[in-house]
Amino acid sequence: MTEIGSVQQPPRDIKRIVYSVVMIAALVLWSLGVLAPRDTDDGQVVRISAVLEDGIPVTLYIPRASSVHEAGGIGGVSDRIFPLVVMAHGLVGDRVGLSYLAESLARNGYAVATYDAPGHGQNENSFGSPAGPTHRATMGRVIDWASSNKYVDASRIVVAGHSMGAATALDFASADPRPSAVLAISGGRALTGPQRPKNTMFIYAAGDPRVLKERVRQIAADLAGVGAMREDVVYGNVEKGDAVAQVEVRGVDHLSIVSSPQTVRWLVAWLRETVGRGGETNALWGSRDTLSPADDAVLAQAGARHSYLPLVALALILAYGAGRVTGRLQRGTDWIALDENLRWGRIVVLWGAALLAGLIVTKVFGLNGAIPLGLLSGLIVLFATSGATVAAAVSFLKDTVAVSSPRPRGILSAAAGSALLLVLLAGGLSKIHNLGLDPKRLLSAVLSAAGFFPGFWAVEFLSKRGGILRSITCSVVLKLMALGAIGVAIGIGALQPVMVLAIPLLVGVLVYFEVFAVGAYKSGASPAVVSFAEAVALGWIAAALGPLQF
């Protein structure tokens, strides 16, 4: 019976539903770009997208009349013809990630074609080798298609690429006579083709791995025919086609170099040096022996820098909220600790032994390519083996979960947690990469998630002991150990060397997962539910980003 003057509290289930609806709405708004950062389109560039006959998705950027300070134009497009820049993305990238560079170059008087390389993005063809015949033929097919556009000057073609794409561009230019210049961004390869690439600029990030910078510098010096090259100096002669330059962009890393305004200024400077620009004759500045960035280059609006700190904070808040919703769907109670049979020392030793077992299985038995997931195969085997080792050990030690939840609610909670994490991650990653899955990538996502689950379960199960602060600390330590094991695996050849470039992204994802897990555990979720959501989310991302090998 309610006392007079008292206020009746809403039922707990109603509060839970309202909270869940609010958090889901916020996550949907984030994924749609209402809260997350998004590019702006002011209509200064015409974009033509197509899928070529052999399944190559391509986008051509052409300047409008107003973007090159010209009145009139045909159908809003300038009636000039423009030099063509064909740009290849890096490993695990796609053409979306090059949109800022492409749009910026278009605003400066160049037609730019970007495409999804084999096995990447929406290109379902098998990956192959970055400097092999498949990638070379793909770039040639894109050049054929883009050159047929009436606004493109087919006599002034430049091939460019980032990371893996730089290797493709150099390989193509050493086998095909059409390119007048090459732009190699944070990448390269030893030249083995029948001809010397013409007028090549190597541009790399100050934050690139040291071994990558050393390799690029050596390739540039070999091409220039000198022992070592100086920065910003043009070796050779543009008019003769043998010019070479190397430039370091400061304040950026391997990934952010493709969204840097300074990168655009250097690229525009080299393009003006080698092929001119739309409406101009091919006036070559062969007498110049130094290079400086084009400070008057026009930048795409997406390049306007703003503080991302509030957006990161918002993303972390949403991750915590997604975890709270996940936990409420399963139990809706407070933090539930597991039995503390395993103390700190045992946990660290057990996890270290499990990671060692994973390294041995992956390296000794050659399982890096055991499943058709390319460079992720070794990582998945490492996660799966380590998790299985922990499961076997705790089964032997008879360490059990303190409480269990009804199975239907656990399944619902795990599914909801996976969906919420995917929405959260998609809101940010979709700005730089297409995250859609075709049937092949869907199969890849299932295999990846199944492999990641044991490893995530092991970390969550081992760390959820005692109070929340102790659990967070333990989880962070175990995840740092896992990152260390990945570094060791790269060093001993159990993982492919290029995986070192994925570590920053993996660290960011793990931070999101940790915040999500805290929210979920605060509402009473179990380690199995949290690890399932994390494995599905990472499996989806891995499938969307990773190159197809089948």
Side-chain angles (χ1 to χ4, degrees):
M1 183 173 182
T2 305
E3 297 181 6
I4 298 176
S6 65
V7 179
Q8 186 173 5
Q9 296 295 321
R12 187 180 182 89
D13 286 344
I14 298 298
K15 291 171 64 177
R16 186 182 307 164
I17 291 173
V18 171
Y19 182 88
S20 300
V21 169
V22 170
M23 288 306 308
I24 292 172
L27 286 165
V28 170
L29 290 175
W30 171 273
S31 69
L32 294 176
V34 177
L35 300 177
R38 52 180 176 171
D39 296 340
T40 56
D41 181 6
D42 59 3
Q44 296 302 302
V45 175
V46 176
R47 297 170 183 80
I48 302 171
S49 294
V51 178
L52 308 187
E53 291 181 358
D54 33 9
I56 306 170
V58 61
T59 300
L60 180 64
Y61 298 74
I62 302 177
R64 286 190 186 273
S66 57
S67 67
V68 289
H69 311 292
E70 176 187 335
I74 302 172
V77 179
S78 170
D79 58 9
R80 301 176 179 181
I81 57 174
F82 303 97
L84 172 65
V85 180
V86 175
M87 192 172 293
H89 59 77
L91 189 68
V92 308
D94 67 357
R95 69 190 192 279
V96 175
L98 296 176
S99 57
Y100 170 66
L101 287 184
E103 183 172 333
S104 294
L105 294 182
R107 289 166 180 261
N108 287 277
Y110 303 94
V112 184
T114 61
Y115 63 96
D116 290 347
H120 291 73
Q122 297 174 322
N123 190 330
E124 297 185 34
N125 296 306
S126 183
F127 174 55
S129 171
T134 300
H135 286 253
R136 193 182 310 132
T138 299
M139 178 169 274
R141 182 70 182 87
V142 174
I143 290 176
D144 293 340
W145 173 80
S147 299
S148 66
N149 188 284
K150 63 181 179 180
Y151 299 110
V152 169
D153 184 351
S155 68
R156 292 185 286 171
I157 294 174
V158 179
V159 291
H162 169 242
S163 193
M164 176 192 76
T168 300
L170 285 167
D171 178 69
F172 184 87
S174 67
D176 192 298
R178 287 178 290 177
S180 301
V182 181
L183 300 169
I185 307 171
S186 287
R189 66 178 301 274
L191 303 175
T192 57
Q195 66 181 34
R196 185 184 191 278
K198 301 172 188 172
N199 297 330
T200 303
M201 181 173 76
F202 295 86
I203 179 170
Y204 50 86
D208 272 330
R210 180 175 58 85
V211 64
L212 173 61
K213 290 194 287 187
E214 290 177 351
R215 186 176 74 223
V216 170
R217 289 168 182 158
Q218 187 60 55
I219 295 171
D222 291 344
L223 188 59
V226 297
M229 291 182 61
R230 293 167 53 194
E231 298 285 336
D232 313 342
V233 174
V234 178
Y235 292 77
N237 187 279
V238 170
E239 192 169 7
K240 294 180 179 179
D242 62 1
V244 183
Q246 69 176 24
V247 172
E248 181 177 85
V249 182
R250 293 167 177 80
V252 296
D253 57 25
H254 190 75
L255 298 179
S256 61
I257 190 172
V258 296
S259 59
S260 168
Q262 195 66 4
T263 303
V264 174
R265 296 185 180 101
W266 281 114
L267 296 183
V268 169
W270 191 251
L271 289 171
R272 291 177 181 175
E273 179 94 2
T274 54
V275 296
R277 54 183 168 181
E280 298 176 352
T281 59
N282 192 7
L284 304 176
W285 305 348
S287 61
R288 291 171 59 95
D289 57 4
T290 60
L291 187 69
S292 57
D295 292 330
D296 62 338
V298 183
L299 303 174
Q301 287 191 10
R305 283 327 199 220
H306 39 262
S307 175
Y308 282 91
L309 185 59
L311 294 171
V312 171
L314 176 59
L316 293 175
I317 291 172
L318 291 175
Y320 179 80
R324 294 283 283 180
V325 170
T326 302
R328 287 174 181 271
L329 288 174
Q330 184 180 12
R331 299 187 199 278
T333 58
D334 294 329
W335 176 274
I336 300 176
L338 301 186
D339 293 336
E340 296 191 57
N341 296 338
L342 290 176
R343 301 293 182 178
W344 262 95
R346 284 189 176 185
I347 290 174
V348 172
V349 170
L350 176 57
W351 182 233
L355 291 172
L356 180 60
L359 288 172
I360 293 173
V361 169
T362 306
K363 176 63 177 179
V364 175
F365 294 96
L367 295 181
N368 189 31
I371 49 180
L373 297 176
L375 62 92
L376 294 174
S377 297
L379 182 62
I380 293 170
V381 171
L382 176 62
F383 267 70
T385 306
S386 301
T389 302
V390 171
V394 297
S395 176
F396 176 77
L397 295 172
K398 296 181 172 54
D399 189 57
T400 58
V401 179
V403 292
S404 59
S405 65
R407 184 169 297 177
R409 294 186 69 176
I411 295 174
L412 172 63
S413 178
S418 303
L420 292 173
L421 267 182
L422 285 173
V423 169
L424 173 63
L425 293 170
L429 292 178
S430 63
K431 308 304 173 184
I432 60 174
H433 200 289
N434 174 46
L435 293 181
L437 300 186
D438 53 55
K440 286 185 178 180
R441 292 193 182 276
L442 186 58
L443 174 60
S444 176
V446 172
L447 293 174
S448 299
F452 286 136
F453 175 75
F456 278 118
W457 173 85
V459 171
E460 300 299 341
F461 180 78
L462 291 175
S463 62
K464 194 168 183 285
R465 313 276 161 170
I468 187 169
L469 182 60
R470 180 183 186 277
S471 178
I472 293 174
T473 303
C474 184
S475 178
V476 170
V477 169
L478 298 186
K479 287 174 180 175
L480 288 175
M481 290 175 63
L483 290 173
I486 292 173
V488 172
I490 294 171
I492 65 176
L495 295 180
Q496 297 186 26
V498 72
M499 280 297 298
V500 71
L501 299 175
I503 289 180
L505 176 61
L506 184 59
V507 169
V509 170
L510 291 179
V511 169
Y512 280 119
F513 285 176
E514 187 64 30
V515 176
F516 167 82
V518 171
Y521 290 143
K522 283 285 289 182
S523 297
S526 66
V529 165
V530 172
S531 54
F532 180 88
E534 292 172 338
V536 169
L538 186 58
W540 187 287
I541 294 171
L545 272 60
L548 287 174
Q549 295 279 23
F550 60 97

